Protein backbone atom coordinates (compact mmCIF):
# COMPACT_ATOMS: atom_id res chain seq x y z
CA UNK A 1 0.00 0.00 0.00
CA UNK A 2 1.44 3.38 -1.00
CA UNK A 3 0.93 5.75 1.93
CA UNK A 4 2.02 8.78 -0.09
CA UNK A 5 -1.39 8.93 -1.77
CA UNK A 6 -3.31 10.81 0.92
CA UNK A 7 -5.48 13.63 -0.41
CA UNK A 8 -7.89 16.07 1.23
CA UNK A 9 -10.04 18.75 -0.38
CA UNK A 10 -12.14 20.96 1.95
CA UNK A 11 -14.66 23.33 0.45
CA UNK A 12 -17.80 25.02 1.86
CA UNK A 13 -21.08 24.93 -0.10
CA UNK A 14 -23.17 28.10 -0.27
CA UNK A 15 -25.18 30.44 -2.50
CA UNK A 16 -27.37 33.54 -2.03
CA UNK A 17 -30.90 34.56 -1.18
CA UNK A 18 -32.42 37.61 -2.88
CA UNK A 19 -35.93 38.03 -1.49
CA UNK A 20 -34.68 40.36 1.25
CA UNK A 21 -31.33 41.01 -0.51
CA UNK A 22 -29.45 39.22 2.28
CA UNK A 23 -26.18 37.52 1.39
CA UNK A 24 -26.65 33.86 2.35
CA UNK A 25 -24.96 30.50 1.92
CA UNK A 26 -27.48 28.47 -0.06
CA UNK A 27 -30.14 28.57 -2.75
CA UNK A 28 -33.35 30.42 -1.82
CA UNK A 29 -35.18 27.17 -2.55
CA UNK A 30 -33.38 25.50 0.36
CA UNK A 31 -36.20 26.86 2.55
CA UNK A 32 -38.53 24.13 1.28
CA UNK A 33 -38.72 20.48 2.31
CA UNK A 34 -35.52 19.05 3.76
CA UNK A 35 -33.30 21.60 2.02
CA UNK A 36 -31.76 21.85 -1.42
CA UNK A 37 -30.13 18.68 -2.76
CA UNK A 38 -26.39 18.96 -3.39
CA UNK A 39 -24.42 17.67 -6.40
CA UNK A 40 -22.46 14.91 -4.65
CA UNK A 41 -21.30 12.95 -7.70
CA UNK A 42 -17.84 12.86 -9.20
CA UNK A 43 -16.96 15.74 -11.53
CA UNK A 44 -16.93 13.24 -14.41
CA UNK A 45 -20.63 12.41 -13.86
CA UNK A 46 -21.62 16.06 -13.52
CA UNK A 47 -19.72 17.06 -16.69
CA UNK A 48 -21.60 14.29 -18.56
CA UNK A 49 -24.98 15.85 -17.78
CA UNK A 50 -25.08 14.21 -14.33
CA UNK A 51 -25.34 10.77 -15.94
CA UNK A 52 -23.74 7.52 -14.85
CA UNK A 53 -26.31 4.75 -14.38
CA UNK A 54 -24.72 2.87 -17.30
CA UNK A 55 -21.20 4.30 -17.02
CA UNK A 56 -18.28 1.99 -16.26
CA UNK A 57 -15.73 3.06 -13.66
CA UNK A 58 -12.26 1.57 -14.15
CA UNK A 59 -10.44 4.49 -12.52
CA UNK A 60 -12.97 6.40 -10.42
CA UNK A 61 -15.97 5.85 -8.11
CA UNK A 62 -19.34 6.18 -9.84
CA UNK A 63 -21.91 6.85 -7.09
CA UNK A 64 -24.79 6.70 -9.59
CA UNK A 65 -24.74 2.90 -9.66
CA UNK A 66 -23.03 0.60 -7.15
CA UNK A 67 -22.70 -2.11 -9.81
CA UNK A 68 -20.15 0.03 -11.67
CA UNK A 69 -17.51 -0.80 -9.03
CA UNK A 70 -16.94 -4.08 -10.88
CA UNK A 71 -15.17 -2.06 -13.56
CA UNK A 72 -12.15 -1.48 -11.30
CA UNK A 73 -8.96 -2.59 -13.03
CA UNK A 74 -5.92 -4.34 -11.56
CA UNK A 75 -5.24 -1.18 -9.61
CA UNK A 76 -7.74 -2.40 -7.13
CA UNK A 77 -8.19 0.56 -4.74
CA UNK A 78 -9.62 4.00 -5.59
CA UNK A 79 -10.01 7.02 -3.29
CA UNK A 80 -12.21 9.94 -4.35
CA UNK A 81 -12.57 13.45 -2.94
CA UNK A 82 -14.72 16.12 -4.61
CA UNK A 83 -15.70 19.74 -4.18
CA UNK A 84 -17.69 22.50 -5.84
CA UNK A 85 -17.29 26.25 -6.33
CA UNK A 86 -20.49 28.13 -7.21
CA UNK A 87 -21.31 31.69 -8.27
CA UNK A 88 -25.03 32.49 -8.00
CA UNK A 89 -27.15 35.36 -9.26
CA UNK A 90 -30.58 35.44 -7.57
CA UNK A 91 -33.29 37.67 -9.08
CA UNK A 92 -36.71 38.59 -7.71
CA UNK A 93 -39.04 41.57 -7.61
CA UNK A 94 -36.95 42.78 -4.65
CA UNK A 95 -33.78 43.06 -6.72
CA UNK A 96 -30.68 41.01 -7.48
CA UNK A 97 -28.02 39.47 -5.30
CA UNK A 98 -24.75 37.73 -6.24
CA UNK A 99 -22.72 35.30 -4.20
CA UNK A 100 -19.60 33.11 -4.46
CA UNK A 101 -19.65 29.88 -2.46
CA UNK A 102 -17.87 26.54 -2.12
CA UNK A 103 -18.26 23.17 -0.42
CA UNK A 104 -16.83 19.68 0.01
CA UNK A 105 -19.26 17.30 -1.72
CA UNK A 106 -17.98 13.73 -1.54
CA UNK A 107 -15.41 11.44 0.00
CA UNK A 108 -15.42 7.78 -0.96
CA UNK A 109 -13.23 4.72 -1.41
CA UNK A 110 -13.68 1.46 -3.32
CA UNK A 111 -11.74 -1.79 -3.04
CA UNK A 112 -11.58 -5.05 -4.99
CA UNK A 113 -11.69 -7.80 -2.36
CA UNK A 114 -11.68 -10.75 -4.77
CA UNK A 115 -11.78 -11.39 -8.50
CA UNK A 116 -15.53 -10.77 -8.59
CA UNK A 117 -16.40 -8.97 -5.33
CA UNK A 118 -16.01 -5.26 -4.52
CA UNK A 119 -16.77 -3.02 -1.53
CA UNK A 120 -16.99 0.75 -1.12
CA UNK A 121 -17.64 3.40 1.54
CA UNK A 122 -18.73 7.03 1.17
CA UNK A 123 -19.59 10.20 3.09
CA UNK A 124 -21.68 12.93 1.46
CA UNK A 125 -23.57 16.13 2.44
CA UNK A 126 -26.96 15.28 0.90
CA UNK A 127 -28.92 18.51 1.43
CA UNK A 128 -28.26 22.00 2.78
CA UNK A 129 -30.57 24.69 4.14
CA UNK A 130 -29.29 28.24 4.68
CA UNK A 131 -31.31 31.39 4.05
CA UNK A 132 -32.54 34.67 5.55
CA UNK A 133 -35.75 36.36 4.42
CA UNK A 134 -37.14 39.70 5.59
CA UNK A 135 -40.87 40.27 5.24
CA UNK A 136 -43.93 41.60 7.07
CA UNK A 137 -47.13 40.12 8.48
CA UNK A 138 -50.43 42.02 8.98
CA UNK A 139 -51.74 42.92 12.42
CA UNK A 140 -55.22 41.45 12.73
CA UNK A 141 -57.97 44.10 12.66
CA UNK A 142 -55.64 46.89 11.51
CA UNK A 143 -53.86 48.05 8.37
CA UNK A 144 -50.46 47.93 10.10
CA UNK A 145 -47.83 45.21 9.71
CA UNK A 146 -45.13 43.67 11.88
CA UNK A 147 -41.65 43.01 10.47
CA UNK A 148 -40.65 39.33 10.48
CA UNK A 149 -37.40 37.56 9.63
CA UNK A 150 -37.13 33.92 8.53
CA UNK A 151 -33.77 32.16 8.96
CA UNK A 152 -32.68 28.59 8.29
CA UNK A 153 -29.59 26.44 8.67
CA UNK A 154 -28.43 22.82 8.68
CA UNK A 155 -29.07 19.93 6.33
CA UNK A 156 -28.83 16.18 5.90
CA UNK A 157 -25.70 14.09 5.36
CA UNK A 158 -25.15 10.39 4.82
CA UNK A 159 -22.53 7.72 5.12
CA UNK A 160 -22.89 4.54 3.12
CA UNK A 161 -21.50 1.09 2.39
CA UNK A 162 -21.65 -0.40 -1.13
CA UNK A 163 -21.20 -3.98 -2.33
CA UNK A 164 -20.91 -5.20 -5.93
CA UNK A 165 -20.52 -8.60 -7.57
CA UNK A 166 -19.47 -9.44 -11.10
CA UNK A 167 -21.61 -12.29 -12.46
CA UNK A 168 -19.52 -12.58 -15.64
CA UNK A 169 -17.64 -10.34 -18.04
CA UNK A 170 -20.90 -8.70 -19.13
CA UNK A 171 -23.21 -8.57 -16.13
CA UNK A 172 -22.85 -7.13 -12.62
CA UNK A 173 -24.99 -6.27 -9.60
CA UNK A 174 -24.53 -3.88 -6.70
CA UNK A 175 -26.28 -2.41 -3.69
CA UNK A 176 -25.81 0.35 -1.15
CA UNK A 177 -26.99 1.03 2.41
CA UNK A 178 -26.98 4.64 3.62
CA UNK A 179 -27.53 6.17 7.03
CA UNK A 180 -29.15 9.59 6.59
CA UNK A 181 -28.86 12.04 9.48
CA UNK A 182 -28.90 15.75 10.21
CA UNK A 183 -30.70 18.69 11.78
CA UNK A 184 -32.57 21.54 10.09
CA UNK A 185 -33.29 24.69 12.11
CA UNK A 186 -35.96 27.22 11.13
CA UNK A 187 -36.27 30.52 13.03
CA UNK A 188 -38.95 33.22 12.87
CA UNK A 189 -38.26 36.54 14.58
CA UNK A 190 -41.24 38.90 14.99
CA UNK A 191 -40.55 42.46 16.13
CA UNK A 192 -43.37 44.39 17.82
CA UNK A 193 -43.14 46.26 21.13
CA UNK A 194 -41.00 43.27 22.07
CA UNK A 195 -39.02 40.72 20.05
CA UNK A 196 -40.31 37.16 19.85
CA UNK A 197 -38.25 34.34 18.35
CA UNK A 198 -39.80 31.00 17.40
CA UNK A 199 -37.21 28.32 16.64
CA UNK A 200 -38.08 24.90 15.20
CA UNK A 201 -35.25 22.38 15.23
CA UNK A 202 -35.93 19.01 13.56
CA UNK A 203 -33.48 16.13 13.86
CA UNK A 204 -33.75 13.48 11.10
CA UNK A 205 -32.36 9.94 11.10
CA UNK A 206 -33.09 6.94 8.90
CA UNK A 207 -31.59 4.27 6.65
CA UNK A 208 -32.13 4.03 2.90
CA UNK A 209 -31.28 1.24 0.45
CA UNK A 210 -30.69 0.98 -3.29
CA UNK A 211 -29.87 -1.68 -5.88
CA UNK A 212 -28.23 -1.38 -9.26
CA UNK A 213 -27.22 -3.48 -12.25
CA UNK A 214 -25.18 -3.05 -15.43
CA UNK A 215 -24.99 -5.18 -18.56
CA UNK A 216 -22.23 -4.67 -21.14
CA UNK A 217 -22.18 -6.09 -24.67
CA UNK A 218 -19.59 -5.78 -27.45
CA UNK A 219 -21.28 -6.00 -30.83
CA UNK A 220 -18.17 -5.33 -32.93
CA UNK A 221 -14.61 -4.28 -32.22
CA UNK A 222 -15.76 -0.68 -32.62
CA UNK A 223 -19.13 -0.67 -30.84
CA UNK A 224 -20.00 -1.36 -27.20
CA UNK A 225 -23.38 -0.94 -25.50
CA UNK A 226 -23.88 -0.75 -21.72
CA UNK A 227 -27.31 -0.80 -20.07
CA UNK A 228 -27.94 0.14 -16.46
CA UNK A 229 -30.78 0.32 -13.96
CA UNK A 230 -31.19 1.45 -10.34
CA UNK A 231 -33.88 1.30 -7.66
CA UNK A 232 -33.73 3.55 -4.58
CA UNK A 233 -36.25 2.34 -2.04
CA UNK A 234 -38.30 4.92 -0.16
CA UNK A 235 -37.05 5.67 3.33
CA UNK A 236 -38.91 6.84 6.42
CA UNK A 237 -37.01 9.45 8.39
CA UNK A 238 -37.48 9.35 12.14
CA UNK A 239 -38.00 12.98 13.17
CA UNK A 240 -37.73 14.70 16.52
CA UNK A 241 -38.82 18.33 16.72
CA UNK A 242 -37.93 20.88 19.36
CA UNK A 243 -39.83 24.17 19.35
CA UNK A 244 -38.68 27.05 21.53
CA UNK A 245 -40.29 30.46 22.15
CA UNK A 246 -38.01 33.28 23.30
CA UNK A 247 -39.16 36.81 24.24
CA UNK A 248 -36.62 39.64 24.41
CA UNK A 249 -33.89 37.02 24.92
CA UNK A 250 -35.08 36.72 28.53
CA UNK A 251 -37.88 34.16 28.69
CA UNK A 252 -37.65 30.84 26.86
CA UNK A 253 -40.18 28.03 26.72
CA UNK A 254 -39.21 24.78 24.95
CA UNK A 255 -41.43 21.94 23.76
CA UNK A 256 -40.05 18.66 22.36
CA UNK A 257 -42.13 16.19 20.35
CA UNK A 258 -41.53 13.11 18.16
CA UNK A 259 -43.07 13.38 14.70
CA UNK A 260 -44.83 10.56 12.90
CA UNK A 261 -42.79 8.66 10.27
CA UNK A 262 -45.43 9.84 7.78
CA UNK A 263 -44.36 13.44 8.34
CA UNK A 264 -41.03 13.11 6.52
CA UNK A 265 -39.42 10.61 4.19
CA UNK A 266 -37.29 10.13 1.09
CA UNK A 267 -39.10 8.99 -2.07
CA UNK A 268 -39.02 5.72 -3.98
CA UNK A 269 -36.92 6.24 -7.10
CA UNK A 270 -36.24 4.29 -10.29
CA UNK A 271 -33.74 5.05 -13.02
CA UNK A 272 -32.42 3.61 -16.27
CA UNK A 273 -29.63 4.55 -18.62
CA UNK A 274 -27.46 3.48 -21.50
CA UNK A 275 -23.93 4.18 -22.67
CA UNK A 276 -22.58 3.74 -26.22
CA UNK A 277 -18.85 3.53 -26.88
CA UNK A 278 -17.80 3.81 -30.55
CA UNK A 279 -14.33 3.18 -31.90
CA UNK A 280 -13.04 3.04 -28.29
CA UNK A 281 -12.98 6.84 -28.36
CA UNK A 282 -16.47 8.35 -28.52
CA UNK A 283 -18.97 7.72 -25.74
CA UNK A 284 -22.56 8.89 -25.38
CA UNK A 285 -24.55 8.46 -22.14
CA UNK A 286 -28.21 8.96 -21.30
CA UNK A 287 -30.04 8.67 -17.95
CA UNK A 288 -33.67 8.93 -16.95
CA UNK A 289 -34.72 8.97 -13.28
CA UNK A 290 -38.17 9.26 -11.72
CA UNK A 291 -38.74 10.07 -8.04
CA UNK A 292 -42.18 9.60 -6.45
CA UNK A 293 -42.23 12.78 -4.38
CA UNK A 294 -46.01 12.91 -4.82
CA UNK A 295 -46.17 10.08 -2.24
CA UNK A 296 -44.12 12.06 0.29
CA UNK A 297 -45.53 14.27 3.03
CA UNK A 298 -43.69 17.06 4.85
CA UNK A 299 -45.46 19.10 7.49
CA UNK A 300 -42.66 21.59 8.19
CA UNK A 301 -43.33 23.60 5.01
CA UNK A 302 -46.50 23.97 2.95
CA UNK A 303 -45.38 23.45 -0.67
CA UNK A 304 -47.15 20.95 -2.92
CA UNK A 305 -45.07 17.93 -3.99
CA UNK A 306 -45.35 16.18 -7.37
CA UNK A 307 -43.54 13.41 -9.26
CA UNK A 308 -40.03 14.41 -10.34
CA UNK A 309 -38.41 13.43 -13.66
CA UNK A 310 -34.73 14.00 -14.44
CA UNK A 311 -33.12 13.63 -17.88
CA UNK A 312 -29.37 13.62 -18.52
CA UNK A 313 -27.35 13.46 -21.74
CA UNK A 314 -23.57 13.30 -21.98
CA UNK A 315 -20.85 13.01 -24.61
CA UNK A 316 -17.21 12.06 -23.98
CA UNK A 317 -14.16 12.12 -26.26
CA UNK A 318 -11.39 9.77 -25.10
CA UNK A 319 -7.67 10.06 -26.01
CA UNK A 320 -6.82 9.04 -29.56
CA UNK A 321 -3.51 7.42 -28.65
CA UNK A 322 -2.70 4.69 -26.14
CA UNK A 323 0.76 6.11 -25.46
CA UNK A 324 1.36 9.81 -25.03
CA UNK A 325 4.30 12.09 -25.66
CA UNK A 326 2.53 15.14 -24.20
CA UNK A 327 0.08 15.39 -21.31
CA UNK A 328 -2.46 17.18 -23.51
CA UNK A 329 -2.73 14.07 -25.70
CA UNK A 330 -4.11 12.17 -22.70
CA UNK A 331 -6.97 14.60 -21.96
CA UNK A 332 -10.59 13.42 -21.98
CA UNK A 333 -13.20 15.97 -23.10
CA UNK A 334 -16.79 15.93 -21.80
CA UNK A 335 -20.06 17.71 -22.55
CA UNK A 336 -23.48 17.36 -20.93
CA UNK A 337 -27.03 18.60 -20.58
CA UNK A 338 -29.43 17.93 -17.68
CA UNK A 339 -33.07 18.85 -17.13
CA UNK A 340 -34.85 18.39 -13.79
CA UNK A 341 -38.61 18.98 -13.55
CA UNK A 342 -38.32 19.61 -9.79
CA UNK A 343 -40.61 18.09 -7.19
CA UNK A 344 -42.53 20.94 -5.55
CA UNK A 345 -44.70 23.91 -6.48
CA UNK A 346 -44.56 27.37 -4.95
CA UNK A 347 -47.61 29.55 -5.62
CA UNK A 348 -48.62 26.96 -8.25
CA UNK A 349 -45.28 27.38 -10.09
CA UNK A 350 -43.17 24.29 -10.74
CA UNK A 351 -39.54 24.90 -9.79
CA UNK A 352 -37.54 23.16 -12.52
CA UNK A 353 -33.85 23.34 -13.45
CA UNK A 354 -31.78 23.25 -16.66
CA UNK A 355 -28.00 22.78 -16.63
CA UNK A 356 -25.31 22.65 -19.35
CA UNK A 357 -21.82 21.34 -18.55
CA UNK A 358 -18.34 20.77 -19.99
CA UNK A 359 -15.41 18.96 -18.44
CA UNK A 360 -11.87 17.72 -18.72
CA UNK A 361 -10.19 14.54 -17.45
CA UNK A 362 -6.46 14.80 -16.72
CA UNK A 363 -4.40 11.68 -15.85
CA UNK A 364 -1.45 12.34 -13.52
CA UNK A 365 0.39 9.06 -12.86
CA UNK A 366 -1.65 7.39 -10.09
CA UNK A 367 -4.06 10.33 -9.86
CA UNK A 368 -6.91 11.27 -12.20
CA UNK A 369 -8.06 14.89 -11.93
CA UNK A 370 -11.55 15.66 -13.26
CA UNK A 371 -12.59 19.29 -13.72
CA UNK A 372 -16.00 20.49 -14.89
CA UNK A 373 -17.78 23.78 -15.55
CA UNK A 374 -21.54 24.19 -15.60
CA UNK A 375 -24.13 26.91 -16.14
CA UNK A 376 -27.64 26.42 -14.80
CA UNK A 377 -31.00 28.12 -14.40
CA UNK A 378 -33.23 27.23 -11.43
CA UNK A 379 -36.85 28.32 -11.75
CA UNK A 380 -37.46 28.37 -15.51
CA UNK A 381 -41.23 28.92 -15.35
CA UNK A 382 -42.43 32.46 -16.11
CA UNK A 383 -44.52 32.58 -12.93
CA UNK A 384 -41.59 31.58 -10.68
CA UNK A 385 -41.11 34.41 -8.17
CA UNK A 386 -37.36 33.83 -7.84
CA UNK A 387 -34.91 32.88 -10.58
CA UNK A 388 -31.48 31.49 -9.83
CA UNK A 389 -28.69 31.59 -12.43
CA UNK A 390 -25.41 29.99 -11.46
CA UNK A 391 -21.94 29.15 -12.68
CA UNK A 392 -20.23 26.19 -11.02
CA UNK A 393 -16.80 24.61 -11.02
CA UNK A 394 -16.60 20.94 -10.01
CA UNK A 395 -13.32 19.32 -9.06
CA UNK A 396 -12.66 15.70 -8.13
CA UNK A 397 -9.47 13.82 -7.53
CA UNK A 398 -9.28 10.05 -7.86
CA UNK A 399 -6.24 8.34 -6.36
CA UNK A 400 -5.53 4.86 -7.76
CA UNK A 401 -3.56 2.37 -5.72
CA UNK A 402 -2.69 -1.32 -5.53
CA UNK A 403 -2.99 -3.28 -2.29
CA UNK A 404 -2.10 -6.89 -1.45
CA UNK A 405 0.46 -6.98 -4.24
CA UNK A 406 2.75 -10.00 -4.19
CA UNK A 407 6.47 -9.28 -4.02
CA UNK A 408 8.96 -11.59 -5.75
CA UNK A 409 12.58 -12.05 -4.73
CA UNK A 410 15.36 -13.07 -7.10
Amino acid sequence: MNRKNKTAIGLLFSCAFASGLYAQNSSPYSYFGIGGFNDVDDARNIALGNTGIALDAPDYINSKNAASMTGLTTRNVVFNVSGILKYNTISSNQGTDKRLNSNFTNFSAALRISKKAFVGISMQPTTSSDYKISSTIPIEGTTSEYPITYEGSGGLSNWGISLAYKINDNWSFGGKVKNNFGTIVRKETITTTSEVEISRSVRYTGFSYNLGTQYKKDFTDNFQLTLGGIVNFGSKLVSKREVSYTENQDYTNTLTSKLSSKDSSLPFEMGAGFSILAKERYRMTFDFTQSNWDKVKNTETSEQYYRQNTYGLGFEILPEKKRFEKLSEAFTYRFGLNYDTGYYKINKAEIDKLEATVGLGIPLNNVVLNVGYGYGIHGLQKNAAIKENYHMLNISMNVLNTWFKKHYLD
Side-chain angles (χ1 to χ4, degrees), residues 117-369:
F118 305 77
V119 65
I121 59 172
S122 64
M123 293 189 300
Q124 300 168 329
T126 312
T127 71
S128 58
S129 180
D130 200 345
Y131 55 87
K132 187 173 183 180
I133 312 169
S134 286
S135 187
T136 58
I137 56 175
I139 303 174
E140 188 175 354
T142 72
T143 58
S144 302
E145 295 180 326
Y146 287 137
I148 184 171
T149 301
Y150 301 90
E151 296 180 77
S153 61
L156 300 186
S157 300
N158 77 77
W159 64 265
I161 299 177
S162 304
L163 295 172
Y165 188 80
K166 192 172 185 178
I167 305 295
N168 52 43
D169 291 340
N170 303 101
W171 197 10
S172 60
F173 280 94
K176 188 173 185 177
V177 179
K178 293 191 293 186
N179 178 30
N180 306 284
F181 60 93
T183 301
I184 295 178
V185 179
R186 306 179 190 277
K187 293 182 180 180
E188 299 175 12
T189 304
I190 305 172
T191 304
T192 58
T193 54
S194 61
E195 186 176 88
V196 178
E197 179 184 281
I198 304 173
S199 177
R200 299 176 177 87
S201 175
V202 183
R203 170 72 179 177
Y204 297 95
T205 57
F207 284 90
S208 58
Y209 315 89
N210 66 60
L211 296 174
T213 185
Q214 285 187 345
Y215 180 80
K216 184 187 301 183
K217 178 68 174 178
D218 292 319
F219 289 93
T220 66
D221 293 338
N222 294 321
F223 185 83
Q224 182 186 87
L225 174 66
T226 303
L227 302 176
I230 58 168
V231 177
N232 295 323
F233 297 96
S235 169
K236 299 297 182 183
L237 297 176
V238 178
S239 310
K240 185 177 181 180
R241 177 170 57 191
E242 182 176 280
V243 182
S244 62
Y245 303 85
T246 303
E247 186 172 352
N248 289 333
Q249 299 182 348
D250 296 326
Y251 170 74
T252 301
N253 182 30
T254 302
L255 175 66
T256 302
S257 60
K258 184 176 181 180
L259 303 181
S260 166
S261 61
K262 295 181 179 179
D263 290 333
S264 53
S265 60
L266 296 174
F268 177 83
E269 181 179 87
M270 294 186 66
F274 69 84
S275 171
I276 297 174
L277 177 63
K279 298 182 179 180
E280 296 186 349
R281 192 177 180 213
Y282 304 100
R283 177 181 281 115
M284 186 184 74
T285 61
F286 176 80
D287 280 8
F288 169 74
T289 306
Q290 185 174 88
S291 304
N292 294 343
W293 281 100
D294 53 325
K295 306 295 183 182
V296 171
K297 180 181 179 183
N298 188 303
T299 58
E300 293 303 310
T301 53
S302 58
E303 67 278 1
Q304 177 186 353
Y305 287 178
Y306 60 94
R307 187 165 296 184
Q308 178 186 29
N309 294 326
T310 305
Y311 308 85
L313 179 66
F315 185 70
E316 187 173 52
I317 303 175
L318 303 174
E320 184 177 8
K321 300 179 181 179
K322 298 298 182 182
R323 295 187 178 183
F324 319 108
E325 297 179 359
K326 298 184 296 183
L327 178 62
S328 59
E329 294 177 345
F331 288 173
T332 299
Y333 302 91
R334 303 177 180 119
F335 310 88
L337 192 66
N338 184 276
Y339 176 69
D340 181 352
T341 64
Y343 65 93
Y344 53 81
K345 295 181 181 180
I346 303 172
N347 295 329
K348 298 182 179 180
E350 297 182 357
I351 309 302
D352 53 356
K353 182 173 69 173
L354 179 65
E355 187 176 277
T357 52
V358 296
L360 190 66
I362 308 171
L364 304 169
N365 294 325
N366 291 343
V367 175
V368 177
L369 180 65

